[in-house]
Amino acid sequence: MRARMIELSWSGLRVPAIAAELGCSQKTVRCWLHRFNRSGLHGLDDLGGQGRKRRITEEERSRIIALVKTVPPGRLRWEPVGELWAFDESGPPEWTLDSLAAAARAEGIAVERSQVRRILLAEGVRWRRTRSWTRSKDPDFVPKGQGSSASILSRPPVRR
């Protein structure tokens, strides 16, 4: 569209006519014509360095994403002798945004909870295990039935 503005200007059209034909504002047309006159074809390129710079590098982002795939230090595991143990009993048993941010800071990455969340959402990474409340490894566990009690009907019978 920028090159088309220059082409229309060279063919003799004025700024209002160019703006009407391209469906943009006159201010936009004037801006690009001035940049072209000042810098030539390079003036039609996007200027680099616009916007806020990232606070963490791509390598640090990758380390945060890789951290999610590791086992949390406080998660209990079965030892071969049949005992439960955790690498670090004071550590988190599940990854949460707070625990991930703390682990990243421990590795020297200056990052906050909200930034960890944005990174993981952008990458489509899950940081929590799906919890199921209906299953248990406990042999005495009995899942609940449909109602809270067999003597109470969940819905009154239909009378005809």
Side-chain angles (χ1 to χ4, degrees):
M1 184 163 92
R2 299 169 189 175
R4 183 85 175 121
M5 289 177 191
I6 304 305
E7 180 186 4
L8 292 173
S9 175
W10 281 357
S11 66
L13 290 178
R14 299 266 186 211
V15 171
I18 296 171
E21 182 163 330
L22 296 178
C24 60
S25 72
Q26 293 180 25
K27 183 178 179 180
T28 301
V29 174
R30 283 191 189 94
C31 172
W32 289 111
L33 289 177
H34 288 300
R35 276 185 54 183
F36 177 76
N37 289 336
R38 190 172 50 246
S39 305
L41 286 176
H42 295 293
L44 299 180
D45 290 338
D46 287 331
L47 294 177
Q50 301 296 314
R52 182 177 181 171
K53 303 291 185 253
R54 286 191 171 182
R55 289 184 182 174
I56 63 173
T57 64
E58 279 300 316
E59 188 264 332
E60 290 172 329
R61 288 172 61 92
S62 297
R63 285 176 41 204
I64 290 171
I65 294 166
L67 186 62
V68 176
K69 297 178 182 178
T70 63
V71 176
R75 180 174 291 165
L76 293 174
R77 300 176 210 155
W78 287 102
E79 257 186 9
V81 293
E83 292 182 14
L84 283 174
W85 69 279
F87 180 73
D88 177 12
E89 291 183 12
S90 64
E94 296 289 331
W95 286 128
T96 63
L97 292 175
D98 289 325
S99 62
L100 283 168
R105 284 191 296 272
E107 289 188 14
I109 303 171
V111 67
E112 293 298 321
R113 178 185 195 274
S114 60
Q115 193 170 12
V116 170
R117 180 179 179 275
R118 284 191 302 271
I119 290 168
L120 298 179
L121 285 175
E123 295 296 324
V125 176
R126 290 183 51 89
W127 62 89
R128 287 186 223 167
R129 182 170 51 119
T130 304
R131 294 184 181 185
S132 173
W133 300 103
T134 60
R135 295 186 187 140
S136 174
K137 292 182 181 179
D138 182 5
D140 296 329
F141 176 77
V142 178
K144 290 183 177 180
Q146 291 205 350
S148 60
S149 172
S151 63
I152 300 173
L153 295 174
S154 59
R155 192 178 341 181
V158 178
R159 297 185 188 199
R160 297 181 186 222

